[in-house]
Amino acid sequence: MNVHCASETVAVSAERRWACIVIAIIVLLLAMMVWTGLHWAAMPPSRVETVDVRTLHLKGEFVENNLGTAVEKDGRVVVRLVGQQYSFVPQCIVVPAGVPVTFRGTSSDAIHGFVVGRTNANTMLIPGFIATFTTTFPKAGEQLMPCHEYCGTGHEAMWARFQVIPADEFFARAKTAERISCVPG
Ligand code: CUA
């Protein structure tokens, strides 16, 4: 075998190897798409839990006095909120810093969405579905939480305040109140 032939053999086997790697990556990505599509359902984001829009304000999890931040019996911090044309209920949300916070939200009319400042807390609120995700806010401070889905003429005025307070302060307040509300100011 001369030098030319040997280098050709090396090139062919390298090409085959890389072709196999590329095909494996494509197959893996397709499998992930199919799996997440079937398992988690692509729409709406995060979960497929449904809720009846017609009775949203009357009974169940999203009645007005059940909205806001609460520490559940199992110790989880849960924020429940509703988006409606053109405000969030509650108008100000308070959470502890450095502790996982679970959001559960829905909409009573159009599709809304929200993002908390420059964090990864970001979801759509779709009528009839409960959007839920869990995230942690490492730093204390106040952020804005605007609606980021065009929901009608009042869309740009739809936003809430979002306060991250030190965890010890939060849990001290959680001992005396079932729902924790924002510090005024
Ligand atoms: Cu609600 Cu845009």
Side-chain angles (χ1 to χ4, degrees):
M1 198 184 274
N2 63 32
V3 176
H4 177 255
C5 255
S7 61
E8 194 176 290
T9 317
V10 170
V12 165
S13 71
E15 268 175 25
R16 282 226 186 89
R17 192 164 58 239
W18 280 107
C20 286
I21 291 171
V22 168
I23 288 167
I25 290 171
I26 291 170
V27 168
L28 179 71
L29 290 176
L30 284 174
M32 278 165 65
M33 274 169 63
V34 170
W35 188 81
T36 52
L38 293 177
H39 187 74
W40 292 108
M43 277 287 285
S46 70
R47 289 269 194 95
V48 189
E49 244 182 286
T50 56
V51 65
D52 190 344
V53 179
R54 291 164 303 179
T55 56
L56 200 64
H57 295 300
L58 303 175
K59 60 176 188 184
E61 188 180 349
F62 293 96
V63 293
E64 190 156 0
N65 64 9
N66 201 42
L67 299 177
T69 313
V71 179
E72 304 286 280
K73 286 193 187 76
D74 60 6
R76 286 186 313 143
V77 179
V78 178
V79 176
R80 290 187 178 80
L81 75 162
V82 169
Q84 57 187 28
Q85 286 164 322
Y86 296 101
S87 61
F88 290 102
V89 185
Q91 269 289 288
C92 184
I93 290 166
V94 61
V95 300
V99 175
V101 174
T102 298
F103 288 80
R104 291 178 63 78
T106 189
S107 162
S108 60
D109 40 48
I111 293 177
H112 302 278
F114 68 86
V115 58
V116 176
R118 300 173 83 173
T119 70
N120 69 345
N122 183 337
T123 193
M124 284 166 82
L125 300 174
I126 299 166
F129 292 95
I130 299 171
T132 175
F133 65 91
T134 301
T135 192
T136 303
F137 301 91
K139 274 187 293 186
E142 183 159 333
Q143 318 233 33
L144 283 184
M145 191 185 98
C147 176
H148 65 36
E149 293 288 337
Y150 182 76
C151 51
T153 50
H155 162 70
E156 77 283 354
M158 181 171 172
W159 54 273
R161 290 193 302 140
F162 195 92
Q163 292 179 346
V164 184
I165 63 173
D168 46 356
E169 187 187 332
F170 177 90
F171 287 106
R173 284 169 56 188
K175 283 204 185 91
T176 58
E178 210 175 310
R179 307 278 139 199
I180 302 99
S181 40
C182 284
V183 266

